[in-house]
Amino acid sequence: MTTTDVQPEPTGRVDGYFGISRLGSTVRREIMAGTVTFLAMSYVLAVNPAVLGDHGPLGARGIPTQAVFTATAVAAVVGTLVMGLWARYPVALAPGMGLNAFFAYSVVLGMGIPWQEALSGTLLSGVIFFVLAITRIREKIIDAIPLQMKLAVGAGIGMFVAFLGLKNSGIVVASDATLVHLGDFTAGGTLLALFGLLVTVVFLVLGWHGAVLYGIVATTVVGVVSGLVHLPHGVVDTPHGLDRTFGQAIVHLPHAFTGQMAIVVLTMLFVDFFDASGTLIGIANQAGLLGEDGKLPRAAQALAADSIGTTAGAIIGTSTTTAYVESTAGVSAGGRTGLTAVTTACWFAVAMFFFPVFAVVAGAPAVTAPALIVVGVLMARALGDIEWNKLEYAIPAFLTVIMMPLTYSIANGIAMGLLFYPVVMVAKRRIREVHPVMWVLMLVFLGYFFFLAD
């Protein structure tokens, strides 16, 4: 018997609205699960400003770091509240790790697009996502992209994110002879990053739900003791900084309608749409919330919540907001309803008052790099589900995965994979299995390589 078979009478308005008793849970368990989810994903408050902020690798081309921190927290609160109150799923949202890397390294650094215009692209992708979410078009698009390519995109982003972590930590460095080679393991920052990677991996293997966060804390403590990380100037601070980012996405929206930005928007939409769909279905399946037909109940509301989080985050000042797979930690702790998500949102609201603490972490690449590497490992697990014994899948999948880190661009990887997929399917005499949308995407990305790619 599943939890959905148990339908006792609700004990109050909160219970009745979220269906807590009906799903075999309790208010206390939902609140505890929401807390566990927050602990599992709160590292985003340190890592996202480190990736997008002007104190990180982007330098003067980055978004003001404090504004990114506040925007990250606000976007998480908005997206997660909508998910919890409207879709009523135990799923939390925050700016995505792969998409923030695409925003920073591919769009701002690679294409030379100012962050204000990049936010406009994020906003536009969120609006389009919302339209797709509330219409039946979403089902046609999901069916159009083959599963093997969806898996390859996720794994490739994982490789790219891990490569960023290795580079930022100094574990791998540039080389004129071989492009990259091993860094100096006697350097203090590199040693600290290696320590952080080691302890984070141990915490993960032990099954600790907040493994990434605990790894960051342990690395920060060792960094402070060794003098490699500075102590914060305070602990609590009133949230501010959004005056420099709020509304910039709207002001610069006219710049989003160019050929170059079309590729940016399409990539953001592609990654967010399928990442959110896969994450939601996976979490719902773990929680026993899928319908008898295997489909996601209230799918429109769930995907719309993701798009609303992206739209709100772009207006506030951060990259694409999406459903976090770390929500599985809360589900493992017993979370089954939207109250879990609401609890997580409340914790993010509290956390936005602690910028001085998170700023120390955001300004120390050796501390945040292990988190990026580990997140990359978790995303790369999708490689195991690709049918490598079939070359018509293996070739475009491999090109997608390998091109992302080697060209320092998520867009290049997606473009290469979607360019080759129809070709190999034709060669395999399986042309009827290629959806018309794939032919359109092939032509779009062919034009991208010839006219827009660096």
Side-chain angles (χ1 to χ4, degrees):
M1 179 179 294
T2 64
T3 55
T4 53
D5 296 323
V6 182
Q7 298 185 4
E9 290 294 323
T11 58
R13 289 184 179 181
V14 173
D15 188 350
Y17 180 77
F18 289 108
I20 297 173
S21 297
R22 177 173 58 82
L23 292 171
S25 187
T26 64
V27 171
R28 180 179 179 181
R29 188 182 301 162
E30 294 294 307
I31 293 175
M32 180 60 68
T35 303
V36 170
T37 297
F38 172 77
L39 290 174
M41 62 183 288
S42 59
Y43 66 87
V44 68
L45 291 169
V47 179
N48 198 47
V51 173
L52 300 179
D54 55 7
H55 291 171
L58 292 184
R61 301 176 69 177
I63 306 173
T65 299
Q66 179 147 18
V68 179
F69 170 80
T70 306
T72 300
V74 174
V77 170
V78 172
T80 306
L81 278 179
V82 174
M83 180 67 76
L85 294 174
W86 187 25
R88 301 196 298 279
Y89 278 110
V91 178
L93 288 77
M97 285 294 99
L99 282 162
N100 64 359
F102 171 72
F103 183 106
Y105 297 95
S106 296
V107 181
V108 176
L109 284 183
M111 298 182 178
I113 296 174
W115 62 262
Q116 296 91 337
E117 295 178 19
L119 287 176
S120 297
T122 306
L123 171 60
L124 188 56
S125 72
V127 172
I128 297 173
F129 191 173
F130 181 80
V131 173
L132 296 178
I134 62 176
T135 63
R136 296 187 64 86
I137 300 176
R138 70 179 186 275
E139 297 175 2
K140 296 181 179 180
I141 294 179
I142 290 175
D143 294 337
I145 308 298
L147 174 62
Q148 301 298 311
M149 295 308 299
K150 298 173 190 174
L151 295 171
V153 169
I157 293 174
M159 293 289 191
F160 180 71
V161 169
F163 181 68
L164 291 178
L166 292 169
K167 173 182 175 293
N168 292 345
S169 63
I171 295 176
V172 297
V173 295
S175 167
D176 292 334
T178 60
L179 295 182
V180 294
H181 67 84
L182 204 61
D184 181 7
F185 278 23
T186 64
T190 304
L191 282 173
L192 181 60
L194 287 170
F195 167 79
L197 181 59
L198 177 65
V199 296
T200 304
V201 167
V202 170
F203 293 157
L204 274 174
V205 172
L206 291 175
W208 293 11
H209 292 312
V212 178
L213 173 64
Y214 302 146
I216 288 176
V217 171
T219 309
T220 302
V221 171
V222 172
V224 169
V225 172
S226 62
L228 296 171
V229 177
H230 301 294
L231 284 170
H233 297 297
V235 177
V236 179
D237 190 13
T238 303
H240 62 278
L242 294 185
D243 56 306
R244 301 175 64 183
T245 60
F246 185 83
Q248 291 296 319
I250 298 175
V251 172
H252 291 82
L253 194 58
H255 297 286
F257 299 94
T258 64
Q260 190 179 44
M261 283 300 295
I263 296 298
V264 171
V265 172
L266 184 61
T267 301
M268 289 177 174
L269 178 62
F270 181 94
V271 175
D272 189 22
F273 188 85
F274 290 107
D275 181 58
S277 301
T279 299
L280 286 167
I281 291 173
I283 295 172
N285 182 53
Q286 180 185 356
L289 301 176
L290 290 182
E292 294 181 359
D293 57 358
K295 292 186 177 181
L296 185 71
R298 304 183 302 281
Q301 293 94 317
L303 290 172
D306 195 288
S307 65
I308 291 171
T310 292
T311 303
I315 294 173
I316 297 166
T318 188
S319 55
T320 304
T321 299
T322 190
Y324 259 59
V325 72
E326 282 84 355
S327 300
T328 56
V331 171
S332 298
R336 294 294 181 272
T337 76
L339 184 57
T340 293
V342 171
T343 302
T344 304
C346 291
W347 279 115
F348 271 109
V350 172
M352 74 174 67
F353 290 90
F354 292 87
F355 171 72
V357 176
F358 285 97
V360 169
V361 178
V367 175
T368 55
L372 291 174
I373 297 170
V374 168
V375 169
V377 171
L378 297 178
M379 295 181 70
R381 288 185 298 183
L383 288 170
D385 296 322
I386 295 175
E387 298 181 49
W388 295 104
N389 59 318
K390 297 181 179 180
L391 287 178
E392 63 269 32
Y393 296 146
I395 292 173
F398 177 79
L399 290 173
T400 298
V401 172
I402 199 68
M403 286 291 285
M404 289 188 189
L406 291 188
T407 65
Y408 222 62
S409 170
I410 292 172
N412 287 347
I414 294 175
M416 185 65 76
L418 294 183
L419 185 62
F420 269 80
Y421 178 78
V423 175
V424 295
M425 290 299 283
V426 169
K428 193 66 176 177
R429 297 181 181 179
R430 297 174 61 181
I431 188 172
R432 292 184 179 180
E433 298 178 35
V434 180
H435 196 281
V437 171
M438 294 298 294
W439 292 110
V440 174
L441 290 175
M442 186 188 78
L443 293 175
V444 169
F445 284 119
L446 190 62
Y448 164 71
F449 278 125
F450 275 102
F451 302 109
L452 299 175
D454 294 330

